[in-house]
Amino acid sequence: NAGVMQNPRHLVRRRGQEARLRCSPMKGHSHVYWYRQLPEEGLKFMVYLQKENIIDESGMPKERFSAEFPKEGPSILRIQQVVRGDSAAYFCASSPSYRGRETQYFGPGTRLLVL
Amino acid sequence: AQTVTQSQPEMSVQEAETVTLSCTYDTSESDYYLFWYKQPPSRQMILVIRQEAYKQQNATENRFSVNFQKAAKSFSLKISDSQLGDAAMYFCAQNTGNQFYFGTGTSLTVIP
């Protein structure tokens, strides 16, 4: 059973460009979570999705950030018009059941660098 | 609001010795889960150990064990017989509802 997969592992963008981060959950998991880790900090929750639904986006910045988890394909975290402050590691996690009370299994992360 | 506090930014331990990493949390929930994750230089988040709040017995996974004090809202991690491969950032996390709340981490150095 493959683990959570994220791609790309490293992404470099210039200010004003768009960043698209992809996450494929573990097989059998229908709950996906996105977290951001700034340098020297812990992970901060951004958004929780189930297939085709955003359940909780309370940690997502109101502008420029969006997330989706379509019926088919990976979950996508999209950052429009990136700024230097968006440079961070973005982690995706998945769990098999409701409300995330099960352990969340993390992907290897995508390191975004905005020049 | 849920908060998780790790008061030790850095810790070190001699190889083969025992070290304890501290974590306190704050929640008004009665049903929650607590976790320790390890983040080595590769930055992959690896689950170390998990504790259900309704269980009084402390969780144990091989060389890793926890001291869970529910009334004090304390959840420390003990690593016995430390190995060089244990060197990493360790994050304490609490799960309530949809979210995990993470502490700021403790950087563990293992001295040969």
Side-chain angles (χ1 to χ4, degrees), chain A residues 9-10 37 40 89 91 107-109 111, chain B residues 37-46 83-91 106-110:
Chain A
R9 295 291 303 275
H10 300 273
Q37 185 180 31
E40 310 301 324
F91 289 90
R111 278 78 181 167
Chain B
Y37 281 89
K38 169 185 176 180
Q39 188 179 48
S42 68
R43 302 202 71 184
Q44 171 82 52
M45 293 289 286
I46 302 167
Q83 300 176 0
L84 295 177
D86 295 334
M89 282 290 288
Y90 285 82
F91 291 97
T106 296
S107 177
L108 178 66
T109 299
V110 181

Side-chain angles (χ1 to χ4, degrees), chain A residues 9 33 35 37 41-43 45 48 55-56 58 89 91 99-104 106-108 111, chain B residues 29 31-33 35 37 39 42-45 47 50 91 95-104:
Chain A
R9 295 291 303 275
Y33 312 80
Y35 294 84
Q37 185 180 31
E41 294 188 10
L43 278 70
F45 169 80
Y48 162 42
I55 307 302
D56 182 349
S58 58
F91 289 90
R99 296 191 70 189
R101 288 190 183 279
E102 294 292 324
T103 300
Q104 293 187 10
F106 284 82
R111 278 78 181 167
Chain B
E29 302 287 333
D31 184 16
Y32 53 89
Y33 292 69
F35 303 80
Y37 281 89
Q39 188 179 48
S42 68
R43 302 202 71 184
Q44 171 82 52
M45 293 289 286
L47 175 68
R50 174 180 119 141
F91 291 97
N95 176 329
T96 302
N98 300 324
Q99 300 185 23
F100 269 49
Y101 298 89
F102 285 85
T104 51

Side-chain angles (χ1 to χ4, degrees), chain A residues 3-4 10 14 18 23 32-33 43 49 57 62 72-73 76 90 97 100-101 115:
Chain A
V4 178
H10 300 273
R14 296 191 180 280
E18 178 180 286
C23 168
V32 166
Y33 312 80
L43 278 70
L49 310 102
E57 57 181 347
K62 295 287 185 266
E72 300 292 337
I76 306 287
Y90 292 83
S97 68
R101 288 190 183 279
L115 301 177

Side-chain angles (χ1 to χ4, degrees), chain A:
Chain A
N1 190 4
V4 178
M5 299 175 68
Q6 290 186 249
N7 68 81
R9 295 291 303 275
H10 300 273
L11 183 61
V12 180
R13 286 288 179 266
R14 296 191 180 280
R15 281 178 296 169
Q17 292 184 319
E18 178 180 286
R20 291 172 69 88
L21 287 61
R22 295 175 183 78
C23 168
S24 296
M26 287 180 71
K27 187 176 181 180
H29 289 193
S30 58
H31 304 251
V32 166
Y33 312 80
W34 285 94
Y35 294 84
R36 178 166 63 177
Q37 185 180 31
L38 295 171
E40 310 301 324
E41 294 188 10
L43 278 70
K44 296 287 197 302
F45 169 80
M46 299 181 74
V47 61
Y48 162 42
L49 310 102
Q50 294 179 28
K51 284 286 188 182
E52 301 184 277
N53 289 301
I54 296 174
I55 307 302
D56 182 349
E57 57 181 347
S58 58
M60 191 98 95
K62 295 287 185 266
E63 298 179 352
R64 303 187 297 108
F65 286 73
S66 63
E68 63 178 8
F69 189 17
K71 187 176 180 181
E72 300 292 337
S75 175
I76 306 287
L77 179 67
R78 182 183 178 203
I79 311 172
Q80 294 178 290
Q81 299 176 319
V82 296
V83 301
R84 287 209 174 120
D86 297 332
S87 295
Y90 292 83
F91 289 90
C92 168
S94 73
S95 71
S97 68
Y98 171 65
R99 296 191 70 189
R101 288 190 183 279
E102 294 292 324
T103 300
Q104 293 187 10
Y105 295 89
F106 284 82
T110 294
R111 278 78 181 167
L112 172 64
L113 175 62
V114 180
L115 301 177

